[in-house]
């Protein structure tokens, strides 16, 4: 059997996606590989196809139990014998799987990195024929990565103990150049074939918004996407509880996930979301890495993540079926302080290592804040960070689709810079942004009065400017290099060498800003969505068939105790609605239909489509 036969028979695809074939060829020829491919690009095919072609057992090292379980369930549906080993398995079942693996019953065995050096697993490794080891989420091996896991450092030792070194493949969706080099060194890859297929996900819309009321924004967004499934990420458990409660109060089918829940409740809530019993998941970043749910249509971030790698990975859980999806980050000043708090309190290493790690985290946080504040193309900003070349704007992000104007803010800049200068004269080390804004807006709070800021000539000179607009002015002055913010735990704002040109020589300062308010922009997008709601590829009748196919898919999923997307993803259903296959041969030509799924579900879908065609022909 060749690679194309495997791809078609087991996975239902007639051709490889970009990059997949080169990686498969390298592995089958015996070469180590490093594959950096965005979420939804088909990394799993890169190690699952070789596993079916190579003699012996393929080990897939994966960090999360839920990820393993989903992958195994999907493989079994496709006719591939697979299993997983992790700490959640009862001892008897664990031993049964080990014996079956030794006897050659599985082609693919998923294992958590923590299990690699246990006596029972080492016994299997020494006596089984291991042809290939695939390391998923390989960025976890690097301390420069956003999800460093010490257990990943055991992988190289495990491989060194094997009687015969297998081919090694490392796969990740997000890796800067530093992280790539770490993966190669720490996993001891031998002159690997390295492929970066590109970080761009053209089907994803990226947006940043600064709403006054985040909960209301999310509520209105989800109500406006009534038939869509999505994730809302929050930075804290408290926010998760608050947002979930608010969504439920307006009739939205939502559930929640965070480390404060019992394992049983987390498992149940996750299943409710994956199996489409709840359409919205509100969660901390504890949720997601192991979720292979393809029909997530939106990912909203209630708070800003602490780095761009985390954001890209979390946002990338949308649109895995290739359909259009939206990733919107809601930004506020408080998010920066929350992220700094987590950075300051998240390192348990020795003092020198902790400080180095915190410094790297602060650098990454600055990049993340820059994403939230930039007026350039958001997709370009992301691609630049990951070192990928691109051309111009994308036309599919809030900055590219929004209308911007240049506003002269020279007078406002002079007032702000003058205020900072007077503060620095009294306090050479400077004060924080909050103190500056309170002084300029004429606040009468205790700290402002105790510091004597009400005695400054600049006190109250911007009292009519809303705090949110004040922040835009400050962002613009920092971005253009007139102000700088220093310090981590207690940041202060000070003048730079460029400031005197504005204060004393009348240098003009401009600020690029949206022509419309956030509410007006959202209203325009809502109207636009209503106009384009109908699929261009499907007629109204086809949409009716598609809806009935989704119902059938849900019924079959419940009957077989698997998530709906594992039966067939939305792309497959779209093709069925458009092409209306009448024979098993026609059905096998649908994208995503392999031999096992055709045998298991083909008859039911063909009969359903035939019945629908008859009924609608009679109506005509």
């Amino acid at each position: 059997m060749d690679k194309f036969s495997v791809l078609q028979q087991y996975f239902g695809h007639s051709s490889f996606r970009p990059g997949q074939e080169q990686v498969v060829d390298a592995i089958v020829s015996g070469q180590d590989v490093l594959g950096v491919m965005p979420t939804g690009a088909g990394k799993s095919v890169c190690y699952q196809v070789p596993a079916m072609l190579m003699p012996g057992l393929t080990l897939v090292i994966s960090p999360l139990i839920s990820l393993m379980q989903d992958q195994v369930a999907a493989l079994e549906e496709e006719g591939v014998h697979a299993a997983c080993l992790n700490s959640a398995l009862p001892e008897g079942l664990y031993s049964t799987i080990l014996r079956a693996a030794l006897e050659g019953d599985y082609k693919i065995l998923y294992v958590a990195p923590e299990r690699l050096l246990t006596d029972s697993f080492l016994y299997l490794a020494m006596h089984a024929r291991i042809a290939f080891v695939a390391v998923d989420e390989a960025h976890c091996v690097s301390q420069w990565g956003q999800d460093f896991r010490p257990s990943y450092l055991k992988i190289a030792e495990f491989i060194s103990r094997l009687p015969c070194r297998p081919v090694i493949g490392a796969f990740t969706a997000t890796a800067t150049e530093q992280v790539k080099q770490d993966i190669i060194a720490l996993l001891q890859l031998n002159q690997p074939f390295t492929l970066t297929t590109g970080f761009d996900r053209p089907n994803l819309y990226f947006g940043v918004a600064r709403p006054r009321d985040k909960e209301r924004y999310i509520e209105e967004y989800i109500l406006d996407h009534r038939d869509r499934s999505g994730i809302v990420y929050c930075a804290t458990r408290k926010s998760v509880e608050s947002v979930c409660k608010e969504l439920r109060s307006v009739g939205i089918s939502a559930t929640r996930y965070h480390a404060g829940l019992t394992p049983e409740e987390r498992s149940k809530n996750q299943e409710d979301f994956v199996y489409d019993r709840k359409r919205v998941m509100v969660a901390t970043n504890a949720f997601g890495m192991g979720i292979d749910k393809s029909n997530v249509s939106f990912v909203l971030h209630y708070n800003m993540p602490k780095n761009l790698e985390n954001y890209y990975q979390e946002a990338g859980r949308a649109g895995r079926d290739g359909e259009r999806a939206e990733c919107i980050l809601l930004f506020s000043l408080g998010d920066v302080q929350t992220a700094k708090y987590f950075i300051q309190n998240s390192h348990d290493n020795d003092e020198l290592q902790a400080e180095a790690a915190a410094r790297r985290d602060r650098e990454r946080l600055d990049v993340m804040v820059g994403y939230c504040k930039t007026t350039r193309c958001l997709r370009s900003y992301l691609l630049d960070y990951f070192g990928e070349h691109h051309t111009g704007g994308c036309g599919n992000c809030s900055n590219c689709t929004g209308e911007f104007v240049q506003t002269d803010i020279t007078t406002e800049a002079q007032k702000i810079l003058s205020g900072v200068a007077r503060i620095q004269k009294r306090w050479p080390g400077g004060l924080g942004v909050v103190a500056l804004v309170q002084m300029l807006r004429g606040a009468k709070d205790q700290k402002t009065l105790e510091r004597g800021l009400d005695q400054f000539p600049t006190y109250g000179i911007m009292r009519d400017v809303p705090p949110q607009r004040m922040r835009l002015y400050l962002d613009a002055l920092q971005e253009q290099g007139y102000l700088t913010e220093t310090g981590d735990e207690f940041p202060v704002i000070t003048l730079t060498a460029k400031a005197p040109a504005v204060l004393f020589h009348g240098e003009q300062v401009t600020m690029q800003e949206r022509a419309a308010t956030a509410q007006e922009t959202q209203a325009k997008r809502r109207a636009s969505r209503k106009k384009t709601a109908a699929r261009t590829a499907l007629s109204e009748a086809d949409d009716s068939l598609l809806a009935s196919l989704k119902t059938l898919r849900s019924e079959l999923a419940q009957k077989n105790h698997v998530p709906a997307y594992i039966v067939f993803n939305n792309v497959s259903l779209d093709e069925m609605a458009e092409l209306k296959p009448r024979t098993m041969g026609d059905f096998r030509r649908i994208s995503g239909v392999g031999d096992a799924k055709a045998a298991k579900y083909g008859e039911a879908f063909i009969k359903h489509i035939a019945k629908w065609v008859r009924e609608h022909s009679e109506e005509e």
Side-chain angles (χ1 to χ4, degrees):
M1 185 177 287
D2 63 18
K3 60 189 174 185
F4 294 107
S5 300
V6 169
L7 185 68
Q8 179 64 62
Q9 179 176 331
Y10 292 103
F11 306 106
H13 302 299
S14 58
S15 61
F16 288 99
R17 294 184 189 178
Q20 288 179 331
E21 186 175 2
Q22 297 98 304
V23 173
V24 169
D25 287 344
I27 293 168
V28 173
S29 69
Q31 186 177 6
D32 289 353
V33 302
L34 169 58
V36 183
M37 308 168 79
T39 302
K43 290 187 295 296
S44 57
V45 164
C46 291
Y47 52 80
Q48 288 170 354
V49 169
M52 301 304 292
L53 292 170
M54 300 170 78
L57 179 66
T58 288
L59 295 182
V60 180
I61 300 171
S62 183
L64 291 181
I65 293 171
S66 55
L67 177 63
M68 296 187 230
Q69 291 171 336
D70 279 1
Q71 292 273 356
V72 169
L75 286 169
E76 289 290 340
E77 283 290 307
E78 288 155 349
V80 178
H81 293 300
C84 63
L85 290 172
N86 55 65
S87 59
L89 293 175
E91 186 176 342
L93 179 56
Y94 191 95
S95 298
T96 299
I97 292 173
L98 278 176
R99 283 195 300 272
L102 269 172
E103 293 168 4
D105 288 355
Y106 304 119
K107 287 299 293 180
I108 301 177
L109 184 64
Y110 285 78
V111 60
E114 293 81 7
R115 313 302 300 171
L116 293 175
L117 298 179
T118 61
D119 291 341
S120 59
F121 192 79
L122 280 172
Y123 181 84
L124 166 67
M126 294 300 176
H127 295 85
R129 183 180 181 182
I130 299 174
F132 177 38
V133 174
V135 182
D136 203 8
E137 307 292 349
H139 62 274
C140 293
V141 78
S142 171
Q143 293 192 51
W144 283 93
Q146 75 278 14
D147 291 312
F148 171 60
R149 291 170 182 255
S151 58
Y152 264 61
L153 296 174
K154 300 175 183 178
I155 295 173
E157 180 186 348
F158 166 74
I159 292 171
S160 71
R161 292 197 186 190
L162 298 178
C164 182
R165 186 187 186 278
V167 180
I168 305 170
F171 301 90
T172 180
T174 53
T176 60
E177 191 57 39
Q178 173 70 57
V179 172
K180 289 181 192 176
Q181 295 306 315
D182 271 2
I183 291 171
I184 292 171
L186 296 171
L187 294 180
Q188 297 179 10
L189 301 184
N190 183 19
Q191 297 183 325
F193 169 75
T194 302
L195 178 81
T196 301
T197 60
F199 291 93
D200 194 12
R201 298 275 305 283
N203 64 313
L204 298 186
Y205 169 93
F206 289 100
V208 173
R210 294 190 181 195
R212 288 187 179 88
D213 186 335
K214 288 186 177 184
E215 285 192 1
R216 184 175 178 184
Y217 181 101
I218 288 173
E219 176 187 312
E220 289 181 352
Y221 180 96
I222 295 173
L223 288 172
D224 192 41
H225 294 72
R226 290 182 180 275
D227 61 338
R228 302 293 182 180
S229 177
I231 304 170
V232 179
Y233 279 108
C234 302
T236 64
R237 302 176 191 179
K238 183 178 178 182
S239 295
V240 168
E241 294 290 342
S242 174
V243 172
C244 188
K245 181 179 179 181
E246 177 64 24
L247 295 181
R248 287 173 174 173
S249 73
V250 294
I252 292 169
S253 175
T255 188
R256 69 201 196 285
Y257 190 105
H258 58 70
L261 304 176
T262 64
E264 294 75 20
E265 188 171 4
R266 287 200 303 272
S267 178
K268 177 186 180 300
N269 293 352
Q270 177 175 305
E271 282 192 8
D272 283 346
F273 178 66
V274 170
Y275 285 79
D276 294 320
R277 293 190 288 267
K278 301 287 185 181
R279 72 181 184 93
V280 177
M281 172 62 79
V282 186
T284 61
N285 63 3
F287 174 83
M289 184 184 285
I291 303 305
D292 191 20
K293 182 176 167 68
S294 65
N295 64 333
V296 174
S297 295
F298 61 84
V299 171
L300 307 180
H301 276 78
Y302 184 79
N303 303 106
M304 178 193 70
K306 63 181 182 180
N307 58 61
L308 211 54
E309 290 96 336
N310 276 358
Y311 177 67
Y312 185 77
Q313 190 171 65
E314 290 162 14
R317 286 165 193 143
R320 297 185 66 155
D321 55 6
E323 298 285 285
R324 175 180 165 80
E326 298 191 336
C327 312
I328 301 174
L329 193 163
L330 309 185
F331 176 66
S332 67
L333 267 183
D335 295 339
V336 182
Q337 295 309 315
T338 300
K340 286 181 177 178
Y341 173 82
F342 282 128
I343 289 171
Q344 198 68 28
N345 294 276
S346 63
H347 299 290
D348 300 323
N349 303 328
D350 64 63
E351 192 172 337
L352 285 177
Q353 288 181 329
E355 178 51 38
R359 186 171 61 252
R360 291 195 297 267
D361 286 347
R362 289 192 295 268
E363 290 170 1
R364 286 199 285 251
L365 176 60
D366 288 341
V367 175
M368 184 73 251
V369 173
Y371 175 86
C372 296
K373 293 180 177 181
T374 188
T375 56
R376 58 177 284 213
C377 171
L378 294 175
R379 182 173 266 97
S380 295
Y381 191 102
L382 283 165
L383 297 180
D384 280 348
Y385 179 71
F386 290 112
E388 183 171 329
H389 297 295
H390 56 87
T391 55
C394 70
N396 192 30
C397 75
S398 58
N399 285 354
C400 285
T401 59
E403 295 179 9
F404 288 87
V405 294
Q406 287 293 130
T407 304
D408 187 329
I409 61 166
T410 305
T411 300
E412 291 82 357
Q414 289 171 337
K415 291 178 180 179
I416 292 170
L417 297 177
S418 178
V420 176
R422 292 177 189 279
I423 285 176
Q424 279 188 247
K425 190 173 182 180
R426 176 79 66 89
W427 292 276
L431 292 178
V433 169
V434 174
L436 171 67
V437 172
Q438 295 287 72
M439 183 267 288
L440 292 171
R441 297 191 70 246
K444 299 184 185 297
D445 62 289
Q446 187 176 347
K447 277 194 174 181
T448 299
L449 300 179
E450 283 178 353
R451 287 167 168 160
L453 296 176
D454 58 326
Q455 303 302 310
F456 285 12
T458 48
Y459 177 76
I461 60 172
M462 300 184 78
R463 59 169 39 91
D464 296 328
V465 180
Q468 193 173 28
R469 188 151 188 83
M470 283 287 299
R471 189 65 218 191
L472 291 177
Y473 293 148
L474 288 165
D475 287 346
L477 292 173
Q478 285 187 58
E479 190 173 353
Q480 294 176 49
Y482 297 107
L483 290 174
T484 185
E485 198 170 7
T486 58
D488 296 313
E489 193 170 355
F490 302 105
V492 298
I493 194 157
T494 56
L495 300 177
T496 70
K498 288 182 66 177
V502 178
L503 282 170
F504 307 119
H505 306 293
E507 180 173 293
Q508 185 185 36
V509 183
T510 62
M511 175 178 75
Q512 186 169 318
E513 63 175 327
R514 292 188 181 278
T517 64
Q519 289 77 10
E520 288 168 345
T521 302
Q522 192 175 3
K524 286 180 182 178
R525 286 183 54 224
R526 186 180 294 119
S528 174
R529 282 195 299 270
K530 288 178 179 177
K531 288 180 182 178
T532 59
R535 286 178 177 80
T536 56
L538 302 177
S539 66
E540 288 185 13
D542 291 339
D543 274 329
S544 169
L545 172 57
L546 179 60
S548 69
L549 290 175
K550 287 182 177 179
T551 301
L552 173 62
R553 178 178 65 177
S554 295
E555 292 169 355
L556 290 171
Q558 290 174 20
K559 180 180 177 182
N560 289 281
H561 307 292
V562 296
Y565 68 86
I566 282 182
V567 176
F568 287 116
N569 62 30
N570 288 343
V571 174
S572 297
L573 294 191
D574 282 347
E575 279 194 31
M576 291 180 204
E578 182 182 2
L579 300 177
K580 303 177 185 63
R582 299 188 179 190
T583 67
M584 191 61 76
D586 291 339
F587 192 74
R588 288 177 189 275
R589 284 189 279 274
I590 297 294
S591 174
V593 177
D595 288 357
K597 286 192 177 182
K600 191 168 188 176
Y601 302 118
E603 186 178 353
F605 276 88
I606 290 169
K607 284 183 176 179
H608 185 91
I609 291 168
K611 181 182 177 184
W612 185 92
V613 170
R614 284 196 306 274
E615 290 174 351
H616 285 73
S617 296
E618 290 168 5
E619 290 174 8
E620 292 174 4

